[in-house]
Amino acid sequence: MNRVVVVGVGMTRFGKQPERSLKELAREATRAALEDAGIRELAIEAAFVSNAMAGAIWRQESVRGQVFLSGTELAGIPMFNVENACASGSTAFHLACLSVLSGMYDTVLVLGVEKMIHPDKDRTFRAFEGATDVESLWAFPGGGGRSRQSMFMDYYAEEARRHMELYGTPVEIFASIAAKNSRHGALNPYAQYQVPQTVESVMASRVVSDPLRLLMCSPLSDGAAAAIVAREKTARRWTSRPVFVAGSVVLSALTGPASGGTEKKRSNVERAAERVYAQAGLGPRDLDVLEVHDAAAPGELWAYEQLGLCSPGEGARLVESGDTALGGSVPVNPGGGLIARGHPVGATGLAQLAEIVWQLRGEAGARQVEGARTGLTQNAGGFLEGDSAAVSLHVLTR
Amino acid sequence: MNRVVVVGVGMTRFGKQPERSLKELAREATRAALEDAGIRELAIEAAFVSNAMAGAIWRQESVRGQVFLSGTELAGIPMFNVENACASGSTAFHLACLSVLSGMYDTVLVLGVEKMIHPDKDRTFRAFEGATDVESLWAFPGGGGRSRQSMFMDYYAEEARRHMELYGTPVEIFASIAAKNSRHGALNPYAQYQVPQTVESVMASRVVSDPLRLLMCSPLSDGAAAAIVAREKTARRWTSRPVFVAGSVVLSALTGPASGGTEKKRSNVERAAERVYAQAGLGPRDLDVLEVHDAAAPGELWAYEQLGLCSPGEGARLVESGDTALGGSVPVNPGGGLIARGHPVGATGLAQLAEIVWQLRGEAGARQVEGARTGLTQNAGGFLEGDSAAVSLHVLTR
């Protein structure tokens, strides 16, 4: 693809922030990205705004971006409200890249924001329900009547058990991934959890949905993250540290006849990986650092295999090798992943991209992957017929 | 702008369709657009899906496009869920055009669908609330406590009274617009209302919010509309009746300091018109036919003035001249407008575009504007600080 450049990124700390509004979070991340780019609001020609839950939780069903950014100097520009469940942020980023490639816009903001902590927890759980086909909600694996809270974790648990049976993967592997990401998160000032865990402490936390323990699962979070992308010619004026978008892919779940049956079906991530590697002209062995969608720890294990970091069934061995920890040959989730950094749904995809940008610029501080030149983000959202409803992959290079 | 071509359009009839699901409506409109283009699902590389209310009304908060199109042959392709309140459909169309111009996608579907009729009417009214800043809901003109049902109609009524005071516009002008659109709707087999009204019958309908009568207001509706856009080179293979996108603009409300104060503020539509005319290289006098956002009849009057069909304050005279009725020099809302065709929020922008495409191809049957070569659509959504939160204009030519 032609060259789109990330000229600035920024984010709030993720975490429980009941005293802060969606507007405050949105504006802090936007300001941080503008400052990082060294540009003023006036340079921004359009905004792509990602949010998945403000309707269900806060009743802000429509024109979310216009509301979050009302009264700022960005008010008045074209604003696009984009949704793809937990993959909303990377989907908005993809559309922002297309808008720059189109020639219509030169420099655009991508903003993701989510405020999941509400005094009435049921509202948050109801928002999760909306990320699958609500008509088939009671046909969800395991049947009806289960807690809405654990719906997605039940799905991860079921897939985790399948992996354990098929390949003899021990449950401690998932604890090991969670512990690794908590160690990484402890080095990230933006992370919700900055306390290193051990395999033992993860295993000792309560069972959410067997074999998943609480500390293997991403938390509910408030937060925002933003990026500014521009066409290369313009970007050169602003930054001496350009990060290029070498590949950008969004795909949806194969459902019905299109899926070719459950057995034969290739996962969204496998299909998307093939595309994004082709766009970028590289393969998994060329990656120096990754941010992947560990909404629960098994998600990271599948990502290893589906992105081609290792062969199917070899994920556990890769964990044991230490190669995916900081200091290893291909660190995964140096920012702490969704488990430790937190998972404010609409912001997550952009936090992943921000982390890779910092890594490629050599600005990641104590969690820096030395000499990182090429990074990949994997973001997934929703659930339909046994796969994520949406998936988005990006390859960034310097 | 470079040339994007509309190669197919389609829609369901609009109206109260309690027995039909969002999926059924979405699929009927999609199938119609594919058949109109004469292409198969396999040719579609991405889908932009517009919906504003399925979260609030039907709890389908996320991955709406993936759910509406699940099990079809479109499942699996990139899907983008786009929201901009009542301007969602045209916003999705704008992004679809950008995606084609970007070179990433060659041929894409734009689908708008809405199902507003629910046994619990309160759900629908709550969805309307979400189209303004919910935090400031009780600071809405007229103060708190008013019926949620009439919130937007109160806004239209207030602006209508202002126009009446400023320019001496008689209330019958609004009835005249509504009657005209009902006559047009009577010629449109897709319209929700196909019964011609008179100025007298409109004036005799109940007062919703003075001076607005019920028959001056768009109804609640179920329905879907779709378009397929492609890059010109590809489109030439499929169609001998290309309709070109000559201009495509989305803008947001000016709020806070950016607005320059209420008095000085130019409306969203005025700002967008300047842009879209510049893109298309033409002006209001070059238009043969328009579809404008008459969510209530005064909206059409403002559109005349803000789009430059006449000077400010001259809208009433334009109505009286008959020029904007079928047979006049510049017919407006030949499809019946939102008042008669119906207003399933997420689908409206695409129904407007479909009508203009039919008009430019000479396929509009009894409501055909003879020799129409250039058309404009105006679609608006939401409400922030005295203006629509989002507005989108398109100019199409053959």
Side-chain angles (χ1 to χ4, degrees):
Chain A
M1 64 192 296
N2 288 313
R3 304 238 280 187
V4 176
V5 176
V6 188
V7 295
V9 292
M11 63 184 285
T12 68
R13 184 173 173 180
F14 286 180
K16 300 194 194 313
Q17 306 183 54
E19 75 293 348
R20 305 195 69 202
S21 69
L22 280 157
K23 287 174 187 162
E24 288 172 314
L25 295 166
R27 287 161 196 195
E28 182 184 329
T30 300
R31 216 162 28 236
L34 286 165
E35 280 171 17
D36 185 48
I39 61 175
R40 295 282 308 277
E41 285 87 345
L42 282 175
I44 304 296
E45 297 174 354
F48 294 78
V49 180
S50 152
N51 172 274
M53 296 187 165
I57 302 178
W58 304 100
R59 298 199 168 172
Q60 190 63 59
E61 286 287 350
S62 290
V63 295
R64 299 178 198 187
Q66 288 90 337
V67 169
F68 300 156
L69 295 169
S70 67
T72 73
E73 289 182 63
L74 290 167
I77 64 174
M79 293 193 190
F80 308 104
N81 298 293
V82 178
E83 203 281 334
N84 247 347
C86 302
S88 298
S90 52
T91 298
F93 187 87
H94 175 77
L95 292 177
C97 292
L98 296 189
S99 81
V100 167
L101 291 172
S102 76
M104 177 79 84
Y105 304 114
D106 201 83
T107 306
V108 305
L109 169 71
V110 199
L111 167 66
V113 57
E114 206 75 67
K115 193 168 155 58
M116 298 167 75
I117 315 295
H118 188 284
D120 175 6
K121 275 195 176 178
D122 202 49
R123 289 208 195 182
T124 307
F125 302 145
R126 204 180 308 144
F128 277 108
E129 281 187 358
T132 186
D133 184 345
V134 292
E135 282 187 4
S136 68
L137 202 56
W138 300 108
F140 211 84
R146 68 183 49 212
S147 151
R148 297 194 293 201
Q149 176 172 10
S150 64
M151 185 174 70
F152 275 81
M153 290 307 143
D154 287 347
Y155 160 62
Y156 273 94
E158 183 168 298
E159 290 293 312
R161 287 194 301 272
R162 196 201 307 269
H163 201 279
M164 292 165 74
E165 280 162 30
L166 207 55
Y167 301 115
T169 308
V171 63
E172 287 77 11
I173 285 294
F174 304 128
S176 181
I177 290 170
K180 166 183 75 71
N181 290 352
S182 75
R183 292 195 304 275
H184 295 177
L187 304 173
N188 183 357
Y190 295 107
Q192 180 162 356
Y193 297 120
Q194 301 181 19
V195 177
Q197 303 290 342
T198 62
V199 170
E200 293 69 32
S201 65
V202 174
M203 288 302 296
S205 64
R206 78 173 165 82
V207 174
V208 171
S209 185
D210 188 59
L212 298 186
R213 271 62 172 178
L214 184 67
L215 294 181
M216 297 176 188
C217 304
S218 57
L220 302 184
S221 315
D222 306 326
I228 293 162
V229 299
R231 85 179 64 161
E232 185 171 4
K233 197 173 165 187
T234 308
R236 292 282 185 195
R237 293 205 309 262
W238 289 327
T239 182
S240 56
R241 309 162 300 171
V243 170
F244 299 96
V245 182
S248 178
V249 170
V250 172
L251 285 179
S252 300
L254 285 170
T255 52
S259 72
T262 313
E263 291 312 308
K264 286 187 292 175
K265 184 157 74 174
R266 292 173 70 210
S267 77
N268 252 340
V269 176
E270 287 169 300
R271 294 189 302 128
E274 190 174 292
R275 279 201 191 196
V276 87
Y277 291 142
Q279 281 181 7
L282 50 75
R285 285 174 200 284
D286 301 305
L287 302 176
D288 300 313
V289 57
L290 295 89
E291 284 277 324
V292 306
H293 199 82
D294 59 329
E300 182 166 323
L301 193 79
W302 309 330
Y304 294 170
E305 300 178 2
Q306 294 175 0
L307 292 169
L309 296 187
C310 65
S311 306
E314 296 292 325
R317 213 159 308 179
L318 185 56
V319 175
E320 286 166 348
S321 73
D323 281 343
T324 60
L326 278 169
S329 61
V330 57
V332 175
N333 285 330
L338 283 55
I339 293 176
R341 184 175 51 226
H343 183 28
V345 169
T348 283
L350 289 157
Q352 294 179 317
L353 286 156
E355 177 67 20
I356 296 295
V357 167
W358 288 321
Q359 291 287 348
L360 299 188
R361 286 196 204 143
E363 298 174 354
R367 63 189 192 283
Q368 180 64 46
V369 177
E370 285 310 317
R373 299 190 62 86
T374 305
L376 179 144
T377 59
Q378 177 240 340
N379 188 201
F383 180 85
L384 278 178
E385 294 189 25
D387 202 355
S388 51
V391 72
S392 178
L393 302 186
H394 284 89
V395 172
L396 303 182
T397 58
R398 69 168 160 101
Chain B
M1 66 192 293
N2 288 314
R3 303 239 280 189
V4 176
V5 176
V6 188
V7 295
V9 292
M11 62 183 288
T12 68
R13 184 173 174 180
F14 285 180
K16 299 195 194 310
Q17 307 183 53
E19 75 294 347
R20 305 195 69 202
S21 70
L22 280 157
K23 288 174 188 163
E24 287 171 315
L25 294 166
R27 288 163 195 193
E28 182 184 328
T30 300
R31 213 159 34 233
L34 287 165
E35 280 171 16
D36 185 48
I39 60 176
R40 293 282 309 277
E41 284 88 344
L42 280 175
I44 303 295
E45 297 174 355
F48 293 78
V49 180
S50 153
N51 173 273
M53 297 187 164
I57 303 178
W58 303 101
R59 299 200 168 171
Q60 189 64 58
E61 287 287 350
S62 291
V63 294
R64 299 177 198 188
Q66 288 88 338
V67 169
F68 301 156
L69 296 169
S70 66
T72 73
E73 287 183 65
L74 290 167
I77 64 173
M79 293 194 190
F80 307 104
N81 298 292
V82 178
E83 203 282 334
N84 247 346
C86 301
S88 297
S90 52
T91 299
F93 187 87
H94 175 77
L95 292 177
C97 291
L98 296 188
S99 81
V100 166
L101 290 173
S102 76
M104 178 79 83
Y105 303 114
D106 201 83
T107 305
V108 305
L109 169 72
V110 199
L111 167 66
V113 58
E114 206 74 67
K115 192 169 156 59
M116 297 167 75
I117 314 295
H118 189 282
D120 175 5
K121 276 195 176 179
D122 202 51
R123 290 207 194 182
T124 307
F125 302 143
R126 204 180 308 145
F128 277 108
E129 281 187 357
T132 187
D133 184 346
V134 292
E135 282 186 5
S136 69
L137 202 56
W138 301 108
F140 211 84
R146 69 182 50 212
S147 150
R148 298 194 292 200
Q149 176 172 11
S150 64
M151 186 175 69
F152 275 81
M153 290 307 144
D154 288 347
Y155 161 62
Y156 273 94
E158 183 168 298
E159 290 292 311
R161 287 195 301 272
R162 196 201 306 269
H163 202 279
M164 292 166 74
E165 280 163 29
L166 206 56
Y167 300 114
T169 309
V171 62
E172 287 78 11
I173 285 295
F174 304 129
S176 181
I177 290 170
K180 166 184 75 71
N181 290 351
S182 74
R183 292 196 304 276
H184 295 178
L187 305 173
N188 183 357
Y190 295 107
Q192 181 162 355
Y193 298 119
Q194 301 180 19
V195 178
Q197 302 290 341
T198 62
V199 170
E200 294 69 32
S201 66
V202 173
M203 288 302 295
S205 64
R206 79 172 165 81
V207 173
V208 171
S209 184
D210 188 58
L212 299 186
R213 271 62 173 178
L214 184 67
L215 294 181
M216 296 176 189
C217 304
S218 57
L220 302 183
S221 316
D222 305 327
I228 293 162
V229 299
R231 85 177 66 162
E232 185 171 3
K233 198 172 164 186
T234 309
R236 293 281 184 194
R237 294 205 309 261
W238 289 328
T239 181
S240 54
R241 309 161 302 172
V243 170
F244 299 97
V245 182
S248 177
V249 170
V250 172
L251 285 178
S252 300
L254 285 170
T255 53
S259 72
T262 314
E263 292 312 309
K264 286 186 292 174
K265 184 157 76 174
R266 293 172 71 210
S267 78
N268 251 340
V269 176
E270 288 170 299
R271 294 190 301 129
E274 189 174 294
R275 278 200 191 197
V276 87
Y277 291 142
Q279 281 181 7
L282 50 74
R285 286 173 199 285
D286 300 306
L287 302 176
D288 301 313
V289 57
L290 295 88
E291 285 277 324
V292 307
H293 198 83
D294 60 329
E300 182 166 322
L301 193 79
W302 309 330
Y304 294 170
E305 300 177 1
Q306 295 175 359
L307 293 169
L309 296 187
C310 64
S311 305
E314 296 291 325
R317 214 160 306 180
L318 185 56
V319 174
E320 286 166 347
S321 74
D323 281 344
T324 59
L326 279 168
S329 62
V330 56
V332 175
N333 284 330
L338 282 55
I339 292 176
R341 184 175 51 227
H343 184 28
V345 168
T348 284
L350 289 158
Q352 293 179 317
L353 287 156
E355 178 67 19
I356 296 295
V357 167
W358 287 321
Q359 291 287 350
L360 300 188
R361 287 195 204 145
E363 297 174 354
R367 63 189 192 283
Q368 179 66 43
V369 177
E370 285 310 318
R373 300 189 62 85
T374 304
L376 180 145
T377 60
Q378 177 240 340
N379 188 201
F383 180 84
L384 279 178
E385 293 189 24
D387 204 354
S388 51
V391 71
S392 178
L393 302 186
H394 284 89
V395 172
L396 303 183
T397 59
R398 68 169 160 101

